[in-house]
Amino acid sequence: MGILQINQERQKLILIISLGYILPVLLLHFKIIPFSWRFYILILAAIAILAITRLYKFSLIELGFTRQHLGISFKVITLPTLASVLLMLINYMMQGARIDNSTYKLGFYLFFVTVSSPLQEFLYGGFLFAVFSRAKLAPWLMILLSSLLYSFVHLIYQDVPTLLFTFIIGVLWGMNYASYRNLYSIIFSHSVLGVVAILVGQV
């Protein structure tokens, strides 16, 4: 791939990030779009990114939907996942719930595990890393950018601890994905952490 083509890929990357990852968050943050529409915005963003994925002609393997390295990626991500769960439970026992999520019913958690978590990891893991790879970004920069963008989407909750936690866990997920390029283990970790965090009122 020549320098001109790399520059073109990077220009497309900037456009995708600006319109697909930053603009929707700002519209929600500044209440131009109602906060209650956040999940609909996620789904619309996923549909748009899916269309872009077709244009890029990414394979399932490029997007991380593969059995390759599945076992090792699960083993490596399990300890940080369990440690994060333990920290959230300790924080809950010491300080109680930060947010009242008692209105969430079983249907919400099923939606989170089967739709929201996979979509988020497709958007912030598989797709981003595939585009980053086409743009020839360094692995450390891929991890940093994906983590910052994942943390940034949580700006809509206007909560600094949530931003810090999502950045840290985003780095751990990014490191795992950069090493093994398997999205299934990250989706599993995301689902577990998200369900626990919501149940104990941490996010």
Side-chain angles (χ1 to χ4, degrees), residues 103-116:
T103 57
Y104 291 145
K105 305 301 180 186
L106 178 61
F108 171 83
Y109 291 99
L110 290 174
F111 171 83
F112 183 85
V113 170
T114 61
V115 178
S116 181

Side-chain angles (χ1 to χ4, degrees), residues 102-146:
S102 58
T103 57
Y104 291 145
K105 305 301 180 186
L106 178 61
F108 171 83
Y109 291 99
L110 290 174
F111 171 83
F112 183 85
V113 170
T114 61
V115 178
S116 181
S117 289
L119 278 180
Q120 288 182 60
E121 288 311 319
F122 165 71
L123 291 171
Y124 292 91
F127 175 78
L128 273 183
F129 274 79
V131 177
F132 291 158
S133 296
R134 291 279 178 96
K136 300 297 182 183
L137 299 189
W140 69 267
L141 187 54
M142 296 184 193
I143 295 167
L144 178 62
L145 286 176
S146 66

Side-chain angles (χ1 to χ4, degrees), residues 27 32-33 41 48 51 55-56 58 64-65 72 78 82 86 105 110 119 126 138 150-151 170 172 178 191:
L27 291 175
I32 298 169
I33 295 175
I41 297 301
L55 293 175
Y56 268 95
F58 288 133
F65 294 105
I72 184 65
T78 296
L82 293 177
L86 183 60
K105 305 301 180 186
L110 290 174
L119 278 180
Y150 177 66
S151 177
L172 292 173
S191 297

Side-chain angles (χ1 to χ4, degrees), residues 139-167:
W140 69 267
L141 187 54
M142 296 184 193
I143 295 167
L144 178 62
L145 286 176
S146 66
S147 303
L148 285 171
L149 288 171
Y150 177 66
S151 177
F152 180 71
V153 75
H154 293 84
L155 181 69
I156 61 176
Y157 294 102
Q158 300 182 18
D159 181 69
V160 174
T162 298
L163 291 174
L164 292 174
F165 176 76
T166 51
F167 175 74

